[in-house]
Amino acid sequence: MSILVVGSVAFDSIETPHGKVDHCLGGAATHFSLAASYFTPVRVIAVVGEDFTAEHEKVMTDRGIDTRGLERAKGLSFHWTGSYVGNLNEAKTLGTDLNVFETFEPKIPDGYKDSEYLFLANIDPVLQARVRSQMPGVKMVCGDTMNYWIADHRENLLKVLRELDVLLINDGEAKMLSGESNLVKAAAKVMEMGPKILVVKHGEYGATAFFCDRSFLGAASVSMPFRAPALPLAEVVDPTGAGDSFAGGFYGYLASQPALTPAVFRTAMFYGGVMGSFAVERFGTERLQSVSRDEIEARFRLFKEISHLE
Amino acid sequence: MSILVVGSVAFDSIETPHGKVDHCLGGAATHFSLAASYFTPVRVIAVVGEDFTAEHEKVMTDRGIDTRGLERAKGLSFHWTGSYVGNLNEAKTLGTDLNVFETFEPKIPDGYKDSEYLFLANIDPVLQARVRSQMPGVKMVCGDTMNYWIADHRENLLKVLRELDVLLINDGEAKMLSGESNLVKAAAKVMEMGPKILVVKHGEYGATAFFCDRSFLGAASVSMPFRAPALPLAEVVDPTGAGDSFAGGFYGYLASQPALTPAVFRTAMFYGGVMGSFAVERFGTERLQSVSRDEIEARFRLFKEISHLE
């Protein structure tokens, strides 16, 4: 079933210990869409500027991503500059040029209205809420956010959280949002804010899903969390978009399945890790554009092999 | 089969957000022995002072631990003072009184000589080497160390590493020992120093085993690492000894098995996590003294449930 994703389609200038790229295609919605496109149809809503060419769009349409909701505006696309020199685990933001995103008013094309899965990628919660309210009939809503919105736009963010089935954030964000330093307690508090399931991403250590008693997966999943591994990698070329790629693999797999069961949810967590592990192998979206379904399945088996007793 | 362990039997004074205890029974060999005692016979070599009473020894003998190698010396036992206030993930050492450990010369009782498994708990690598050289015929040697020995006693430590089958350390120690910030590269470098298998403990994120091509578990385990989860805990009362308890559960299970296979090794990693998760539930050794075999098996099933797809 189709996923509608709203978020940034952007250009990134990135420096890592492996090199430097200037204005490569990036953005949360881009990474998410590419990762999810291997599992299910994806429709994207974002705004781009005049620097976004037909060639950039082709990266998305070549993967079957529906770009009818990609609005063109006068000016330049959103541009992020960051560095991982000295610390591959955390980006140092050197510049954020919102450009066309400053005045973005997301509009949902009629052809998108029957989307059954909604993903609110990391953007201003006001925009997330606006899209959410225009899609009242979706089967499931999943979202992401970041420390900036948690710290300085809390009220707007809380309105979005109330509407979420699943929230995907990292350890630091879960602790910041809840004010709790213990992850289990943090998860309980975050789920009181709305999300029925919280997926906490631990970077190189994998991810943990927490379920509350309002979880929609059935009783079997309620009591215990679930931990998915990450693949130990000798080379991380560019961590940018790893979290969005995790979200794409996770949600893409969920949306591709006929029913939401605990087993399907667990498998989705593994596919999230799989897509995240591919994303970091090259700069920008390069690896996500070219991975094959066979490679995805082989890596899924690898994730199972490195974490299962038998 | 019997494990011979050499390490500290000590008293700890600990403050955590959950309270404060003064001079409770502790030490790497104590935590290790108690955890391992649920799986296999354990023999301990250490030195204690006049403050170590029959009641303290009973904690060990009640669990069937062989204390014939517990030497009594004039003076006070090793005493560590630490605090986890503000950060449950890392102890702040407030005081280390070596006391009787300053002049300790480990002697191996004749009744210990047929031990087939040797564990070199975290003590001065000179003492580790001395015990190792007196046990030439053991089937397997496993060891632990810490940042202090890595930084300031490197040459002595390197001599011990050459003799190890398995080294258990944490992320920070693996990176410090190797000079590599990437864990996969760090593991490869550490295994070049001697250990055929490196188990890296990630605290609340579990542990990863790395295997080199000299691994004794057979070809199946050579290429890929193995990740074992940790149990997400809402309450960590006292993290002291969690790593030693992991080692005890891990090595105790290994020593209890008739053959060392990849499957046995993986299961041992899970039992390590299980015993570590019990250890932190109470101050000092309290929980490890009283856990039942049924509780251990139930928690093992829980570890499987939170990490396995089916």
Side-chain angles (χ1 to χ4, degrees):
Chain A
M1 284 174 278
S2 284
I3 296 176
L4 189 161
V5 53
V6 58
S8 56
V9 173
F11 291 109
D12 292 338
S13 295
I14 304 159
E15 188 168 6
T16 85
H18 288 271
K20 210 172 167 172
V21 292
D22 193 52
H23 279 79
C24 71
L25 183 62
T30 313
H31 291 288
F32 175 91
S33 300
L34 288 169
S37 71
Y38 289 90
F39 301 92
T40 208
V42 183
R43 298 153 166 185
V44 64
I45 291 181
V47 61
V48 292
E50 292 154 303
D51 48 355
F52 189 87
T53 65
E55 207 182 320
H56 295 121
E57 187 164 358
K58 194 169 175 296
V59 169
M60 304 181 85
T61 52
D62 274 356
R63 287 286 329 134
I65 297 163
D66 189 332
T67 55
R68 284 176 291 170
L70 211 53
E71 188 186 318
R72 255 95 181 158
K74 277 213 182 328
L76 295 173
S77 301
F78 180 27
H79 177 225
W80 177 77
T81 309
S83 169
Y84 299 88
V85 174
N87 186 3
L88 269 168
N89 291 315
E90 204 179 338
K92 190 174 161 191
T93 293
L94 303 173
T96 305
D97 308 306
L98 283 177
N99 297 331
V100 293
F101 252 94
E102 268 185 277
T103 53
F104 180 42
E105 283 285 343
K107 285 172 276 298
I108 300 173
D110 284 339
Y112 281 17
K113 291 275 165 80
D114 61 350
S115 308
E116 291 189 88
Y117 287 77
L118 177 61
F119 189 79
L120 308 171
N122 173 31
I123 44 165
D124 188 335
V126 170
L127 300 182
Q128 291 181 316
R130 215 166 281 166
V131 172
R132 172 69 185 98
S133 67
Q134 290 176 68
M135 297 292 293
V138 289
K139 187 173 168 184
M140 193 167 164
V141 188
C142 184
D144 188 7
T145 190
M146 70 183 287
N147 47 12
Y148 174 72
W149 309 115
I150 295 170
D152 297 336
H153 295 74
R154 194 176 175 87
E155 283 312 308
N156 292 334
L157 178 62
L158 289 177
K159 283 178 204 158
V160 174
L161 294 183
R162 281 200 283 278
E163 302 277 329
L164 289 187
D165 294 305
V166 184
L167 174 66
L168 286 115
I169 48 181
N170 66 32
D171 286 76
E173 290 157 356
K175 290 172 183 178
M176 190 183 191
L177 180 57
S178 64
E180 285 284 350
S181 62
N182 174 285
L183 193 59
V184 178
K185 289 181 182 166
K189 275 205 176 177
V190 169
M191 289 188 288
E192 280 171 19
M193 298 172 191
K196 300 177 186 78
I197 298 178
L198 174 68
V199 175
V200 182
K201 296 168 286 177
H202 313 308
E204 64 173 313
Y205 302 122
T208 306
F210 294 93
F211 308 93
C212 73
D213 52 15
R214 293 170 286 119
S215 159
F216 44 85
L217 299 180
S221 70
V222 168
S223 56
M224 287 310 302
F226 182 68
R227 300 211 120 161
L231 189 66
L233 293 168
E235 294 269 306
V236 172
V237 171
D238 173 16
T240 313
D244 302 311
S245 305
F246 179 100
F250 163 80
Y251 208 45
Y253 179 79
L254 273 193
S256 76
Q257 294 301 299
L260 290 174
T261 65
V264 163
F265 194 90
R266 288 166 175 233
T267 305
M269 294 273 293
F270 270 57
Y271 276 114
V274 164
M275 298 313 288
S277 75
F278 282 122
V280 303
E281 290 182 350
R282 300 275 186 285
F283 273 101
T285 57
E286 190 186 334
R287 189 67 178 105
L288 284 187
Q289 291 172 229
S290 63
V291 67
S292 73
R293 188 69 212 203
D294 280 353
E295 287 176 305
I296 292 172
E297 292 314 315
R299 189 155 295 184
F300 179 85
R301 289 191 297 274
L302 200 55
F303 268 66
K304 207 171 154 182
E305 194 188 315
I306 66 166
S307 61
H308 281 49
L309 292 171
E310 296 93 20
Chain B
M1 282 174 279
S2 284
I3 296 176
L4 187 162
V5 53
V6 58
S8 57
V9 172
F11 292 109
D12 291 338
S13 295
I14 305 160
E15 187 170 6
T16 85
H18 288 270
K20 210 170 165 171
V21 292
D22 193 51
H23 279 78
C24 71
L25 183 61
T30 313
H31 291 286
F32 174 91
S33 299
L34 288 169
S37 71
Y38 291 90
F39 301 91
T40 208
V42 182
R43 298 153 166 183
V44 63
I45 291 181
V47 61
V48 292
E50 291 153 304
D51 48 355
F52 189 87
T53 66
E55 208 183 320
H56 294 122
E57 186 163 358
K58 195 169 174 297
V59 168
M60 304 180 85
T61 52
D62 274 356
R63 286 286 330 135
I65 297 164
D66 190 333
T67 56
R68 284 177 291 171
L70 212 54
E71 187 185 320
R72 255 94 181 160
K74 278 211 183 328
L76 295 172
S77 300
F78 180 28
H79 177 226
W80 178 77
T81 309
S83 169
Y84 299 89
V85 175
N87 186 2
L88 269 167
N89 292 316
E90 202 179 340
K92 189 175 161 191
T93 293
L94 302 173
T96 305
D97 308 306
L98 282 177
N99 297 329
V100 294
F101 252 95
E102 268 185 277
T103 54
F104 180 43
E105 284 286 341
K107 286 172 275 298
I108 299 173
D110 283 339
Y112 281 16
K113 291 275 167 80
D114 61 350
S115 308
E116 291 188 86
Y117 287 77
L118 177 61
F119 189 78
L120 308 171
N122 172 32
I123 44 166
D124 187 334
V126 170
L127 300 182
Q128 291 180 318
R130 214 165 283 166
V131 172
R132 173 68 185 99
S133 67
Q134 290 176 69
M135 296 293 291
V138 289
K139 187 172 168 184
M140 191 167 165
V141 188
C142 182
D144 188 7
T145 191
M146 68 182 288
N147 46 14
Y148 174 72
W149 309 115
I150 296 170
D152 297 336
H153 295 73
R154 194 177 175 88
E155 282 313 308
N156 292 335
L157 179 61
L158 289 176
K159 283 179 204 160
V160 174
L161 294 183
R162 281 201 282 276
E163 301 279 329
L164 290 186
D165 295 305
V166 184
L167 174 66
L168 286 114
I169 48 180
N170 67 31
D171 287 76
E173 289 157 357
K175 290 172 183 179
M176 190 181 189
L177 180 57
S178 63
E180 284 284 348
S181 61
N182 175 285
L183 193 59
V184 178
K185 288 181 182 165
K189 274 205 177 177
V190 169
M191 289 187 289
E192 280 170 19
M193 299 173 190
K196 301 177 185 77
I197 298 178
L198 174 68
V199 175
V200 182
K201 297 168 285 177
H202 313 309
E204 64 174 312
Y205 302 123
T208 306
F210 294 92
F211 308 92
C212 74
D213 52 14
R214 292 170 288 119
S215 159
F216 44 86
L217 299 179
S221 70
V222 167
S223 56
M224 288 310 302
F226 181 68
R227 299 210 120 162
L231 189 66
L233 294 168
E235 296 269 305
V236 172
V237 171
D238 173 15
T240 313
D244 302 312
S245 304
F246 179 99
F250 163 79
Y251 208 44
Y253 179 79
L254 273 194
S256 76
Q257 295 300 300
L260 290 173
T261 65
V264 162
F265 194 91
R266 288 165 176 235
T267 305
M269 294 274 293
F270 270 57
Y271 276 115
V274 164
M275 298 314 287
S277 76
F278 282 122
V280 303
E281 289 182 351
R282 300 276 185 284
F283 273 101
T285 58
E286 191 185 334
R287 189 67 178 106
L288 283 187
Q289 292 173 229
S290 64
V291 67
S292 73
R293 189 69 211 203
D294 280 355
E295 286 177 306
I296 292 171
E297 291 314 313
R299 189 155 295 182
F300 179 85
R301 288 192 297 273
L302 199 56
F303 267 67
K304 208 171 154 180
E305 195 187 313
I306 67 167
S307 61
H308 281 50
L309 291 171
E310 297 92 21

